[in-house]
Amino acid sequence: YRLASEPATRCPAHIDACLSGFLVKADDALRDDLLTKLAAIFEDEGEAGHNKIIRVLKSAPFSRDTWRHVDRLGADEQSRYWAEAHPFWRGDDTNELHEMIERLLKANRPRAAFQAAEYQWKNIESALLAKLLKDVATNSSESSEKFRFHSYEVEEAFKILDERTNVSADELAHLEFLYLGVLDNAKRGIPNLGRQLAESPPLFMQAIGLAYKRSDDGEDPAEWHIPNEEARSNVAMQAYRLLHNARRIPGTKDDGSIDVAKLKAWITEVRALCRTHARVGVGDSVIGELLSKAKPGKDGIWPCEPVREALEEVGTKRMAEGMTVGLYNQRGAQWRGEGGGQERELAGKYRNWSRQVAFDAPFTSRLLEQIARTYDHDAEWHDADANLRKRLSY
């Protein structure tokens, strides 16, 4: 009673720590009886008493036994407890885990719930775990500085949902869109959303439309219109990430092979939609970047045979440029030797491939030759840079 009655201005953190230590170590029955008696005493002290009982309950273990005492308070005091309580939960009762998450979500504290449940993903039922992920991504009521989480924690939650049969691919695709920024470099990637993009030209077109402006003064469909400037900017960034993180080649079957007819039909439809919505140039570039993620063919030459066949029929200059840029960006950071030796080796590889496919796939041959020239240019630059460094070191 004396500890709870100490003024909030007098070493509050030390007093609260002392209260918490005592209540955590106390026997369950003793603690329950003590909380009941203190609540009765403080109830007669008006607002000051309410502050005291909230202080005591916040110091008590964050568990169902404490929450039952909270439930006996008035609505304002209950809301205050759930808004202020530190959600440190390390129990093993699944029902209590679910109750904790639901109560924190109701209190508009999804980040707090996520942090409290981060080691328990496998014990959370699917619908609640999906709701938790959605609320964390869309609710900005809590400070991200106070409740931080890492990308691997989000990825682990997604992996659990991947194993569940009661979560649809559409639900997972929606969640992947919300977490594009987090899943940027995750090994899991965005498989469900990537599959939707590869199977739906209108969805791919909508992502292009949200990420890039028209090339004329026409009007986009009403469903693409976002009146709020900040929201429009955020959606554009998400759409941009989506397009540049997609890896599944359209027409890909479950066994990994690619149906050439479906790939060509997908490219043709996307390009038609881009013409309708005044985004032909950027559309071809984005298509090219996606195709740059194709694997080498059975003959070891990149890109694989189905993509080469599609390019011969529907490929464009901007598409080839997009493939060149996409492939270049996939190289990432490199350990370097002195000069442009690495780039000359790459130039030789692509030039050799260009010669091998020149008869059967002339468009692809020109693409590979252009990539080789890009690496020729890089090799010259690195040679010049190395020579300059040598001269400056003398």
Side-chain angles (χ1 to χ4, degrees):
Y1 174 83
R2 290 291 301 276
L3 283 172
S5 299
E6 284 291 325
T9 55
R10 184 175 175 182
C11 301
H14 293 169
I15 294 169
D16 290 345
C18 188
L19 263 173
S20 179
F22 176 79
L23 291 171
V24 168
K25 291 296 184 180
D27 176 81
D28 290 347
L30 173 63
R31 181 173 56 247
D32 185 71
D33 183 60
L34 181 59
L35 292 175
T36 300
K37 289 179 178 178
L38 286 175
I41 294 171
F42 292 146
E43 182 62 32
D44 295 331
E45 297 182 14
E47 183 177 351
H50 291 164
N51 291 337
K52 293 176 184 178
I53 189 58
I54 290 295
R55 184 181 200 175
V56 170
L57 291 172
K58 285 165 56 181
S59 300
F62 189 68
S63 65
R64 178 182 288 147
D65 290 340
T66 300
W67 306 335
R68 295 298 172 260
H69 288 278
V70 175
D71 290 340
R72 300 184 189 120
L73 303 177
D76 289 344
E77 286 72 32
Q78 289 185 43
S79 296
R80 181 180 165 191
Y81 169 85
W82 285 105
E84 298 177 7
H86 178 62
F88 182 80
W89 188 86
R90 288 295 180 267
D92 56 7
D93 184 330
T94 301
N95 291 329
E96 185 175 279
L97 171 65
H98 287 160
E99 181 179 348
M100 173 196 69
I101 295 172
E102 289 167 351
R103 284 177 176 267
L104 287 170
L105 291 180
K106 185 178 179 181
N108 214 26
R109 300 185 66 192
R111 282 182 169 268
F114 187 92
Q115 188 178 79
E118 62 183 338
Y119 300 109
Q120 299 289 334
W121 305 138
K122 66 180 182 299
N123 296 322
I124 303 173
E125 62 99 13
S126 301
L128 186 58
L129 180 53
K131 178 173 174 51
L132 176 59
L133 285 168
K134 179 181 178 181
D135 284 11
V136 169
T138 59
N139 188 323
S140 59
S141 61
E142 292 176 289
S143 169
S144 58
E145 294 298 317
K146 184 176 181 181
F147 295 103
R148 295 186 176 186
F149 53 85
H150 301 285
S151 59
Y152 73 85
E153 296 165 344
V154 173
E155 187 176 15
E156 287 303 310
F158 269 97
K159 287 179 179 178
I160 293 296
L161 289 177
D162 288 339
E163 298 170 358
R164 307 277 176 86
T165 58
N166 57 351
V167 183
S168 71
D170 286 346
E171 288 179 279
L172 288 171
H174 178 66
L175 288 172
E176 287 169 358
F177 181 76
L178 295 176
Y179 282 92
L180 280 173
V182 178
L183 297 172
D184 267 351
N185 299 311
K187 183 178 179 180
R188 176 187 176 277
I190 50 171
N192 298 283
L193 196 50
R195 181 184 291 273
Q196 286 190 349
L197 282 178
E199 294 176 354
S200 173
L203 179 61
F204 194 83
M205 179 66 244
Q206 185 174 6
I208 293 174
L210 292 171
Y212 299 95
K213 294 181 179 180
R214 296 177 66 99
S215 59
D216 63 12
D217 297 326
E219 289 290 329
D220 283 329
E223 59 268 25
W224 296 7
H225 182 62
I226 302 171
N228 181 274
E229 179 64 32
E230 182 179 358
R232 183 164 59 250
S233 177
N234 290 337
V235 170
M237 179 58 70
Q238 287 292 83
Y240 180 86
R241 283 175 172 159
L242 171 59
L243 292 169
H244 294 278
N245 279 280
R247 305 194 66 83
R248 187 180 180 89
I249 304 301
T252 300
K253 302 183 224 180
D254 290 339
D255 63 2
S257 63
I258 298 174
D259 185 317
V260 181
K262 288 185 177 180
L263 172 58
K264 289 189 286 191
W266 184 93
I267 294 174
T268 300
E269 185 174 349
V270 170
R271 296 197 73 236
L273 290 169
C274 285
R275 283 193 295 274
T276 299
H277 299 294
R279 291 175 175 86
V280 174
V282 72
D284 280 356
S285 293
V286 174
I287 292 171
E289 182 177 359
L290 177 60
L291 296 179
S292 75
K293 296 163 187 173
K295 295 179 180 180
K298 294 178 181 178
D299 55 6
I301 298 173
W302 176 91
C304 58
E305 293 88 348
V307 173
R308 290 180 227 163
E309 184 176 338
L311 287 172
E312 296 307 312
E313 184 173 325
V314 296
T316 67
K317 180 180 179 181
R318 286 291 294 270
M319 213 177 289
E321 291 172 354
M323 291 186 73
T324 301
V325 172
L327 185 70
Y328 192 85
N329 290 339
Q330 289 172 53
R331 190 182 178 208
Q334 300 288 321
W335 287 103
R336 299 204 53 78
E338 186 175 335
Q342 293 180 17
E343 285 69 30
R344 275 190 293 277
E345 183 177 342
L346 287 169
K349 178 177 72 173
Y350 286 103
R351 187 163 284 117
N352 182 48
W353 286 348
S354 174
R355 291 167 181 155
Q356 291 183 59
V357 301
F359 181 77
D360 294 322
F363 182 96
T364 303
S365 177
R366 292 192 297 272
L367 164 65
L368 293 168
E369 176 59 30
Q370 181 56 48
I371 294 172
R373 290 175 184 172
T374 299
Y375 282 118
D376 285 338
H377 181 272
D378 284 356
E380 292 174 2
W381 187 92
H382 285 295
D383 285 342
D385 181 66
N387 290 332
L388 178 61
R389 290 176 183 275
K390 284 181 180 179
R391 290 198 298 272
L392 292 176
S393 66
Y394 292 139

